[in-house]
């Protein structure tokens, strides 16, 4: 029945020299709706069927049944205004790309570097004298240089004039073993070193850079995961 309606509607419209746009405007629908009716893609509701009958001056039986305008049984030719639909082979399923192991390893590496930078910045902050003021300044002896311009084991005297060994970060250019460098005493737990601004800022900036890199890698990992799930 649906095929008959599409074929008959196309025939009636053609006989009236009416375009799909004109018919659609009179019925209060879109041109695409008329096109789908004629190609038997959809079926007009009863109100639209009655309006079509009024426009083309035909009976509802003519539209819905296998009869012609005189009421005779007819064989309907299956013709369509639209070109035949080309059947395309189904699209091959997208292969899901496994999450890149390199991205995961990069996140782990960046995370480790971030933690190391935070630990280094924390160590420097603890051993730094932020407000020297009138603090007492004393000399400490450099016993062992572990790495030039970085870490050293030093000996310093406490309030009881006893020698204590400490491991501190130093930023003194050209310091050697058996040298003497200045430090500051505190009221609580020993000595502090006055680091340069560059020494304090570098690990802090490194921590920020590694933090943002970690966030970017995490967002990229989530984006890849979402694209694979689609």
């Amino acid at each position: 029945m649906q095929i008959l309606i599409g074929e008959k509607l196309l025939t009636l419209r053609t006989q009236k020299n009416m375009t799909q746009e004109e018919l659609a405007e009179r019925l209060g629908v879109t041109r695409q709706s008329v096109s789908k009716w004629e190609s038997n893609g959809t079926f007009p509701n009863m109100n639209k069927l009655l309006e079509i009958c009024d426009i083309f001056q035909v009976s509802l039986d003519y539209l819905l049944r296998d009869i012609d305008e005189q009421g005779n049984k007819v064989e309907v030719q299956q013709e369509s205004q639209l070109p035949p639909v080309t059947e395309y082979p189904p699209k091959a399923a997208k292969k899901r790309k496994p999450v890149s192991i390199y991205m995961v390893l990069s996140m782990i590496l960046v995370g480790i570097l971030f933690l190391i930078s935070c630990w280094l910045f924390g160590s420097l902050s603890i051993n730094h004298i932020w407000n020297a003021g009138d603090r007492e300044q004393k000399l400490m002896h450099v016993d062992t240089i572990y790495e030039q311009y970085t870490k050293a084991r030093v000996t310093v005297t406490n309030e009881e004039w006893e020698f204590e060994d400490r491991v501190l970060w130093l930023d003194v250019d050209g310091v050697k073993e058996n040298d003497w460098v200045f430090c500051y005493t505190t009221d609580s737990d020993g000595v502090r070193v006055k680091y340069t601004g560059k020494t304090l800022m570098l690990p802090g900036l490194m921590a920020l850079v590694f933090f943002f890199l970690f966030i970017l890698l995490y967002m990229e990992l989530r984006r890849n995961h979402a694209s694979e799930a689609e």
Side-chain angles (χ1 to χ4, degrees):
M1 182 183 295
Q2 187 176 356
I3 294 177
L4 288 175
I5 292 176
E7 297 297 328
K8 288 183 178 179
L9 181 59
L10 173 61
T11 301
L12 292 172
R13 183 178 60 79
T14 304
Q15 290 175 351
K16 291 285 187 177
N17 293 323
M18 187 181 297
T19 65
Q20 288 183 344
E21 289 81 358
E22 293 172 344
L23 179 58
E25 185 177 354
R26 294 188 64 176
L27 293 173
V29 297
T30 63
R31 185 196 63 79
Q32 288 78 6
S33 297
V34 175
S35 177
K36 289 180 180 179
W37 295 344
E38 293 182 353
S39 61
N40 304 309
T42 57
F43 188 80
N45 59 37
M46 183 58 67
N47 290 334
K48 297 304 177 185
L49 286 172
L50 295 175
E51 292 182 29
I52 291 171
C53 292
D54 292 339
I55 292 173
F56 296 111
Q57 296 297 309
V58 294
S59 65
L60 191 59
D61 282 347
Y62 171 73
L63 287 178
L64 301 179
R65 300 176 60 188
D66 300 342
I67 59 174
D68 58 16
E69 296 181 15
Q70 287 74 34
N72 300 320
K73 185 77 173 180
V74 296
E75 294 293 334
V76 178
Q77 299 292 329
Q78 299 294 331
E79 296 179 356
S80 177
Q81 183 187 23
L82 299 179
V85 178
T86 304
E87 294 185 0
Y88 295 97
K91 293 183 178 180
K94 294 182 178 179
K95 293 184 178 180
R96 289 189 175 184
K97 297 181 180 179
V99 177
S100 175
I101 187 65
Y102 297 108
M103 186 175 296
V104 176
L105 291 176
S106 298
M107 287 185 63
I108 295 174
L109 177 60
V110 170
I112 293 173
L113 293 175
F114 168 71
L115 294 177
I116 292 175
S117 300
C118 290
W119 169 77
L120 181 58
F121 180 75
S123 298
L124 291 173
S125 300
I126 291 174
N127 293 320
H128 177 67
I129 182 74
W130 294 95
N131 184 16
D134 56 354
R135 297 285 185 182
E136 181 184 354
Q137 194 175 44
K138 64 170 62 176
L139 287 171
M140 61 182 177
H141 183 262
V142 179
D143 296 330
T144 305
I145 298 293
Y146 295 110
E147 293 181 31
Q148 184 66 29
Y149 199 74
T150 54
K151 204 170 185 181
R153 187 166 66 87
V154 300
T155 301
V156 65
T157 57
N158 58 22
E159 294 181 355
E160 287 77 21
W161 291 96
E162 296 174 347
F163 289 101
E164 292 183 357
D165 290 338
R166 294 290 185 92
V167 176
L168 297 174
W169 295 91
L170 299 179
D171 60 356
V172 181
D173 286 324
V175 64
K176 301 184 295 295
E177 293 181 0
N178 297 320
D179 282 352
W180 293 85
V181 295
F182 284 106
C183 65
Y184 293 85
T185 60
T186 62
D187 298 331
S188 56
D189 58 352
V191 300
R192 295 287 186 271
V193 180
K194 190 172 183 61
Y195 297 113
T196 62
K198 179 180 67 175
T199 300
L200 289 171
M201 289 178 59
L202 183 60
L205 291 175
M206 289 173 58
L208 287 176
V209 170
F210 290 134
F211 174 76
F212 284 115
L213 282 177
F214 185 87
I215 295 298
L216 290 175
L217 288 171
Y218 175 73
M219 293 176 62
E220 182 66 16
L221 191 65
R222 290 197 60 179
R223 188 184 66 82
N224 289 342
H225 180 72
S227 63
E228 290 172 7
E230 294 178 354

